Amino acid sequence: MPTQRIAIIPGDGIGLEVTAEAVKALETLRETRGLPLELVTFDWGAEKYLREGVSLPPGALEMLGRDFQAIFIGAVGDPRVPSNQHAADILLGIRFGLDLYVNQRPVKLLDRRLCPLKDRTEADVNFVIFRENTEGSYVGIGGTFKRGTPDEVAVQEDVNTRKGVERILIYAFEYARRHGWRKVCMSDKSNAMPHGHGLWQRTFAEVSRRYPEIEASHLYVDTLALEMVRDPSQFQVIVTCNMFGDILSDLGAQLQGGLGLAPSANLHPGRTSMFETVHGSAPKLAGKNVANPMAALLTTALMLEYLGHSEAARDVEGVVAEAIRQGITTPDLGGGAGTREVGDWICQRLRQRV
Ligand code: NAD
Ligand code: IPM
Ligand code: MN
């Protein structure tokens, strides 16, 4: 297999710490199983932005798209940059710039003791959220008028295109078909947003007809939030717009034990894709060796799967589940281990599994 080049962007805060553990796992897999991975690290983040005024350097998108198969990003966001400008440039810049229209956010309970819901088991919490990742209210179209006065007006547009909606719906149905799943639930707020989300309704009705073997259902997003808590076992594939997917994926993260366990993938089939945790840079935890690296490791598993290393991906997930069972966890999961210690334990088990 030819060398696969992976761009590593540790970013800010705990992003730096959890990325170090993900890199350790990738290097372990490269050494012990000969995975053809070449890792190249980029120092993009708050430090560089504050020092040089550079967020995403000129030419970066072209380089990533041309020279790399995948990107692993820790997290971006730093209280010293209250505008969040560098994070928007880097994270949203790559999502939009590389047209990574699928944001795949699996919700999978690895150990029933971590589920905050009563009497729920691993079988009840196992679904995937597909979040549209290139439009909606994230496009940054809008502005303010009479700013700073009592008459101030702020406009933030919500952009939904036929092409954008259709391609994420198709991806969700194709994923269900590939994985032998029978249910796709689309969620919107068409009762309050008839223009933008009316487009989702009409496109969903049309696309779902092409997949007669799959049960297509719809829930308004408020009801979906309630149903995810009341009975998560009813869901297999959920597909929704950019912002609702953002919010629902944090709710989903908690169903599996918290943000410390939630991975995600930003995909454009056949192109350079980006892998990131659902969690952010958690500034209050940064530099203390307490952040849970498991979300980053499970994100590594998603990336390995994407790169065609399914067995290694399954092993990473299996070893993470084993660490949870044995109580080798950070304080968010009730354990006393540090970020590095959890990472070390997982790498050591990966070596033993070869
Ligand atoms: P956050 O995800 O950083 O933290 C939310 C809560 O979860 C905090 O209590 C935090 O301590 C906890 N938490 C998160 N990750 C954890 C981990 N690995 N282990 C243990 N606990 C963990 O969200 P926030 O506080 O809203 O945002 C902080 C910054 O991160 C902001 O600048 C935000 O914009 C940014 N952010 C970036 C990304 C990204 O780059 N992918 C994602 C989300 C938020
Ligand atoms: C996420 C984050 C980002 C988003 C922020 C940092 C812009 O919350 O990846 O979930 O809203 O997409
Ligand atoms: Mn989020």
Side-chain angles (χ1 to χ4, degrees), residues 76 84 87 91-92 95 103 105 131 133 138 242 246 249-250 276-278:
V76 277
N84 216 28
L91 188 67
L92 302 183
R95 285 182 190 166
N103 194 328
R105 299 193 151 182
R131 163 187 182 189
N133 213 28
Y138 276 68
N242 207 338
D246 176 46
S249 57
D250 266 40
E276 56 160 328
T277 60
V278 173

Side-chain angles (χ1 to χ4, degrees), residues 14 18 73-79 81 84 87 91 95 105 246 250 259-261 276-285 290-295 330 332:
I14 65 165
V18 301
I73 183 164
V76 277
D78 186 302
V81 188
N84 216 28
L91 188 67
R95 285 182 190 166
R105 299 193 151 182
D246 176 46
D250 266 40
L259 279 167
L261 286 168
E276 56 160 328
T277 60
V278 173
H279 71 70
S281 55
K284 285 194 185 129
L285 303 185
V290 294
N292 188 346
M294 288 173 171
T330 43
D332 56 307

Side-chain angles (χ1 to χ4, degrees), residues 291-307:
N292 188 346
M294 288 173 171
L297 290 157
L298 294 168
T299 297
T300 305
L302 282 181
M303 183 171 77
L304 289 166
E305 179 76 47
Y306 178 80
L307 293 171

